[in-house]
Structures are given as C-alpha cells and as structure tokens.
Amino acid sequence: MNKYLLFLFLLAGVRAQAQVTFGSLPEATTHALQHRPDLRNADLARQVAEQGVIRAKAPLYPQVKVSGAFDDYLALPVQLIPAEFVDGEKGELVAVQFGTQYNLAFNLEAALPLVSVQAWKNRRIAQAEVQSSYFQQQDAQQRASEEIARTYYLCLLSREASALSQENLHVNDTLLLTAEERFRNGLAEPLELNRLKSLQLESRQQLNDNQTVYRKNLARLKMLCGLNPQEDLQLTETLNDQTTAAPPLQPSVETLGLYRALQWRIQAAESEEQKQRLSWLPEVSMYGRFTQQAQRNAFNFTDSAYPWYQIGLVGLRAEWLLFSGFNRKAEFRRATLQKQIALNELQHFALRAQEENEEIGLALQNAQQSLESYRQHYALYQENYTIARYKYNQEVYTVDQLLQVYAEKLKSQNFYLNAMADYYVNRALLQIKNQFAQPKSPALHVK
C-alpha cells in the first residue's frame, strides 16, 4: 500500500512541475522571449552579424603565416645550356641537372594592408548590419509580444464567456425544472415545455462552444509562449480584475525598432555604394618573408655539419585593376538600386506604422467608451432577465416574453464581451509599442 501512495505522490509531483502559471500578460511575454526558438534565433542572427564585423576587420590587421615544405625529386630538373659554357663545341647544347634530391624549407610570411578602401568600407557595412540586426531582433520581439497579447486576452475573454454560459445554463436548468413542475400540474402546455427544453439545450451547446474556443486559444497561447502542448497552463488573471484607465501615449514612428533597423540598412547600402564607387583605387600592402632551407642529396637534415640557408625580404605591393569586363559598373549600379530599395522600404514602413498607430488609438478610444456603455447595458439586461424569470414563475409573463428578454440579454452579453476584448487588446498593443519604442543600441558602434 505504501508503494502505491509513493507512486501517487511522485505522479502528483511530476504534474505539479509540468504546470505553468501566468498571472499577467508581461509574465507570458517574458516566458516567450526566453523560450521561443524563433526568438532565440533572432538573437543568434544578431550574434552572427557581430562575427561578421570581426571577419570584416580581419583583412585590416597583419596577416602572418608559417609554412613548410619537403620535396623529394625523383628526377632532378634538367636545363639545356650552350656547350661553350663548359668548354664544349660552339652551337651545341649540353644538358645540366640542377638542385639536389631533397629540399626542406620553412617560411614565415607577413603582410599588412596600407591602402585598402574595400576592406575599410566592408567594416562599416558589417557594423551597420550589426545595428540593423539588433533592431530587427527588437522588432521581432515586439511583433511576438503583440501576437501574444491578442491571444492572451482572447483566452481570458473566452474563459469569461464560458463562465457566463455556465451561469446561464444553471439559471435555465432551474427554469426548466420549474416548467416541468408546472407541466406535471397541468399549468403548462407541451409547447411551452419544449421551448424551454430547447433553450436549455442551446445554453448547454453555447457553453460547450465557448469552452472549445477557450481550449483552442489556450493551445495557441502555449505555442506562442514556447510551451509544449502537454504542459498545463493556468491563467490566474481575470478581465474583471482590471479597470479602464487613461490610454497610453502613441509612440513616435521614428523610435520603433523596424524603423531604426531600416535606417541602418540604408547606411549599409550607402557604404556599399561608396565602396563600389571607389573600387577603381589601387590596393597597397607591405609584405615580408623569411625562409630557411636546406638542400641535400642524402636524408641528413639533422646533421649539423651541413649548412642551412636563409632568405629574407620585405617589399611593397600595389594592385590596380584597370578593366574588369564592366563588372565594376554593374556592381555600382546594383548598389545604387539596393540603396533606393532601402529608402523606399523605410518610407513605406513609416506610412504603414503611422496608420497602424492611429488605427489602434482610435480603436482603443472607441473600445473604452463602448466598454463603459455595454457594462451598464449588460447589467440592465441581467436585471431584466431576473425580473422576467420572476414574472414567468408568477405566471405574469408568457414563455415568449421570457425568451425575448433572454435573447436581448445574450445580445447585450456579446456586445459587452467584444467591447472588453477590444479594449484590453488595443490597450496592450499600445503599451507594447511604447515598451519597444526606444530600444538601446548595442555596445558595438560604427566608428
């Protein structure tokens, strides 16, 4: 028996660990930002861009390389030289072998770019891309937070609708019991009883529909927050706990993450255009090489009696590409077009973001007014339905009058719930936009 109790306790502990509780929208958003794979990928993309800066800077630093080579000539190279060089007949050629069978060499090479406009511009482009990726990450988090906010409040709304449907079902069950008692006593007709039975069935189905919608919204919220479908998610907040307040301020379009990202994309495109414009300039670098080598006809490189030879040199190298098959012109044109595309994208986003902000502001203002009105509206129809049920029980109201009042109550209830959802969703959207409206720049800055 003790073994079974221990198993139950362990099972209960596992279930408790699998349960996740969100007490507010910020808690759900924070969990998503920490656990959603796509949002983690946005952070990884920013880190990849930062590595791109290191790669772009690398050609500007000295490049040092160590190499070694061992050659075993199975057949030594032969060169034909005039025979008179070795006291031979004039006009004849003599074959002479050069070199030794074994050659071992170690090289130390270093190069430092002195003039490299392409590398300098590549660094600025990479730094701009880091800034752009950072603000793109902020925009991705903002969009995810907005989507979570919509689903979160739809969950609370559908749960509230389920609670109201449960209340309606309970009231209609009681009403049906009264009608059945009246029917047994001969005080009600079958038509009246059947209509109230239909009302009770509609109430039960409405409860089932609302509960299904709640489960669907909760499943979507789990996905948006990075939870497994098997995890038990509990929302402790209720819409009734909240009160209407002054609407948040509308954020400036210029402070939004995507706007900032597009600005940095334009800077990257401008740097690319400048790079292509200056691609005709020569590249100048300084280089040096030190070589130590040994040549042997026998494999005796460790024998100190035989010498090693050193070669050292330093120099300057200039490379000037005079003609590239019109590739340079095409690349410059391509960079110019890419810059114009980035400018157009920024202008389009500014217009779209401004329209979106105004739409959310107007929707929130209307939803706040609607919520205040429909809260009173619904309270009145709840009271009307209570009065209608009392009058029906006192045989003052007919079943037609009762059903009419009930239909009006359901209509008012739907208005109230929709206004509540519109208010809290649009308020949350503005709050999220303000939260992400002034993202801090990353530590890396363009210099």
Side-chain angles (χ1 to χ4, degrees), residues 110-319:
L112 176 64
L114 300 179
V115 179
S116 180
V117 176
Q118 301 298 297
W120 297 338
K121 292 299 181 181
N122 285 337
R123 190 189 71 162
R124 293 185 64 86
I125 293 171
Q127 290 173 329
E129 288 176 349
V130 169
Q131 299 281 351
S132 178
S133 66
Y134 172 78
F135 290 113
Q136 285 177 345
Q137 178 189 5
Q138 297 295 309
D139 179 70
Q141 292 179 352
Q142 175 187 332
R143 297 299 176 185
S145 300
E146 292 174 355
E147 191 175 12
I148 291 170
R150 291 187 180 94
T151 307
Y152 178 84
Y153 284 114
L154 285 178
C155 280
L156 298 185
L157 173 69
S158 54
R159 190 181 62 183
E160 182 71 18
S162 298
L164 293 176
S165 298
Q166 182 68 56
E167 180 183 342
N168 291 338
L169 179 61
H170 175 71
V171 171
N172 293 335
D173 283 343
T174 304
L175 189 63
L176 180 60
L177 291 175
T178 302
E180 289 175 342
E181 180 66 24
R182 292 177 60 182
F183 178 74
R184 286 192 294 269
N185 295 332
L187 301 177
E189 297 181 356
L191 178 62
E192 179 179 341
L193 178 61
N194 290 340
R195 296 186 69 180
L196 290 177
K197 284 183 178 181
S198 299
L199 177 63
Q200 191 265 355
L201 291 173
E202 291 175 4
S203 301
R204 188 175 301 278
Q205 184 59 44
Q206 186 179 41
L207 173 61
N208 182 70
D209 292 342
N210 289 332
Q211 290 176 339
T212 300
V213 171
Y214 172 69
R215 288 192 293 269
K216 288 182 178 180
N217 289 332
L218 194 65
R220 178 165 179 77
L221 183 62
K222 288 181 184 180
M223 183 274 295
L224 293 176
C225 293
L227 295 171
N228 293 324
Q230 295 79 14
E231 292 186 85
D232 184 16
L233 176 59
Q234 298 294 327
L235 305 179
T236 60
E237 187 178 17
T238 61
L239 293 179
N240 289 334
D241 293 338
Q242 307 180 50
T243 57
T244 57
L249 297 176
Q250 289 190 359
S252 171
V253 172
E254 289 76 12
T255 60
L256 296 178
L258 187 55
Y259 188 92
R260 302 281 296 277
L262 292 173
Q263 284 182 319
W264 282 105
R265 190 179 299 173
I266 291 174
Q267 291 198 24
E270 289 175 345
S271 296
E272 178 66 27
E273 184 184 39
Q274 293 171 5
K275 185 183 88 169
Q276 298 302 329
R277 180 183 290 114
L278 300 175
S279 62
W280 60 272
L281 292 176
E283 302 282 326
V284 181
S285 61
M286 183 175 65
Y287 66 92
R289 182 170 64 250
F290 176 79
T291 303
Q292 189 170 24
Q293 63 179 2
Q295 301 177 3
R296 305 281 193 273
N297 282 318
F299 198 88
N300 55 358
F301 293 103
T302 59
D303 191 345
S304 60
Y306 294 91
W308 285 71
Y309 304 97
Q310 290 82 30
I311 301 174
L313 62 92
V314 294
L316 291 176
R317 178 183 292 112
E319 296 183 8

